[in-house]
Amino acid sequence: MTRPEIAALGGSSLVQHDLVVVGGGPAGYAAALTGAAAGLDVGLVEEHLLGGTCLHVGCIPAKELLETAAVLRTVREAPAFGVGIPGFDNIDPVLDLSASQVRKQKVIDGLERGVTALLAGRDVTVYEGTGRLGAAHVVSIDHFAGDPTLVVAEHVVLATGSSPRTIPGFDVDGTLVVTSDEFLSLSEAPQRVAVIGGGAIGCEFASMLADYGSSVTLLEAASEILSGCDSDVAKAVRRAFLKRGIEVHSGIAVHGHDPDSAGTTVRFGPTDDADVTELHVDLVVVAVGRRPRGDSAGLIGTRVAVDDRGFIEVDERLRTAEPGVYAVGDVVDTPQLAHVGFAEGMFVVRDMLGESPIPLDSTTVPWCIYSHPEVAFAGLTESGAIEAGYDVVVSSHRFAGNGRAMILGEIEGLVKVVAEKGLNGRAERILGVHLVGPWVTEQLGQGYLAVNWEATVDEVAAFIQPHPTLSELFGETMLSLAGRALHS
Ligand code: NAI
């Protein structure tokens, strides 16, 4: 709809904007901020809290609580560095999770104030309520009391996000069975816990709980945990988890659980109902993916389509079938990552402004998982590259030989690079960079650039890595692919 068409709709109660964004998570607020920076008059509708899942029940609280886990580890390992407390041979720190929750909330509050200030600073009108898109680009905002506000705009961005998936037999009660929503607010660590789902969330929570001193069992339906990762990376995490006492069962089915006065007994086994194993725990954490909230955006009287999984259907430019209406973030079938949401929010504004941005490539976005050890990657896995028809050359190097890793006392993990094999048999274009080990989430940058710049091994191997750093291992892997390995 154009401005004159909107004006023709008339009605004094119809508020006009150039752009209305439904959903104030990373994808939605990125669209709002980008639109406002470009001079658009923007309205943003949020039914809960600005910052969305990422800020309130996702990335930020999870990483905050994982930092508590890292501090616990550091303190426990202090004597090995000659650091102690007079009179004590060992340092046995205790965890006060409720104090950690207070710290977590302070971080969240600070960031939420930041988002609010940014939106206010760019004159974005923020509406509190549930926005539902109807015909003619009109969004009805239900404020939970009183009359709805009706807003209309030439462009609408749907960014209604996702919510945790649940599974039959494990009704979420917030006490015995929780999803990430409830888990991230626990004030006490459980003694025995079953984590169902060995994806990014399940592995982060299992790792965190092991550091907190819980006895952790990770139950994964697929044949290996972290199924989207390169298999060498997933195996390295599994090995590290086993060493840390996390029990990992993959290729299993969970059948249900039987609560009692002291907790609950989870039933699982290799196949349906056969060889059932019983596991008594205090808490079950369900981390089996997130369901897109396409159905929460109204959409009656529009051409916007939602598929049977709940995703809003879009083309590569994130346009829905309704002209002028886009969808971004977890509600579309692209990686459910906050940084992908940011990128999509910015992309659609550039698209509506006619700047013809290049569509985002889901296969090369950066991934970071903050378990211990951490995982980070961009681009194709070895098996993914082969499946895609590439002839590949692969090299892996372990942190065990890296000076900085030894200094940190964190020698577990590796760097693996997947490159396309040239006609002469040598490694050429870099297709994938896969890291597992210390601080790899902060090391991925150059790997991400290498993949997305479509750089060759020779080009990247020519660069110097500072010494002593963890990133020397990335350089060493490139050197070895270029046929000039220095330390191996
Ligand atoms: P996920 O899709 O990454 O993993 C879910 C896992 O649960 C899969 O491995 C699946 O095989 C398993 N599963 C499904 N049903 C099961 C069942 N009945 N029994 C046992 N296992 C079962 O989803 P996750 O970990 O919940 O994360 C949701 C989204 O959030 C993902 O897209 C993820 O990438 C994103 N995320 C990313 C993070 C990061 O990058 N650090 C952190 C947290 C989430």
Side-chain angles (χ1 to χ4, degrees), residues 191-211:
Q191 281 190 342
R192 293 150 305 168
V193 59
V195 178
I196 303 179
I201 296 183
C203 284
E204 287 186 357
F205 288 0
S207 178
M208 180 197 301
L209 287 163
D211 285 324

Side-chain angles (χ1 to χ4, degrees), residues 63 165 167 196-202 204 219-222 227 252 254 287-290 336-337 367-370:
K63 278 36 148 194
R165 269 189 61 215
I167 42 176
I196 303 179
I201 296 183
E204 287 186 357
L219 302 171
E220 165 58 49
S227 58
I252 54 90
V254 286
V288 295
R290 299 186 60 86
Q336 289 178 313
L337 299 166
W367 286 83
C368 290
I369 300 168
Y370 297 76

Side-chain angles (χ1 to χ4, degrees), residues 387-413:
E387 249 168 61
Y390 289 104
D391 204 0
V392 298
V393 188
V394 170
S395 181
S396 299
H397 286 257
R398 297 197 168 271
F399 278 107
N402 174 273
R404 189 79 199 280
M406 287 183 195
I407 292 165
L408 293 174
E410 303 254 359
I411 55 165
E412 223 145 14

Side-chain angles (χ1 to χ4, degrees), residues 158 294 299 302-308 310-314 320-322 327 331:
L158 302 170
L299 311 179
T302 75
R303 275 172 277 185
V304 180
V306 177
D307 73 16
D308 52 9
F311 288 112
I312 293 180
E313 291 179 6
V314 287
T320 69
E322 179 75 37
V331 79

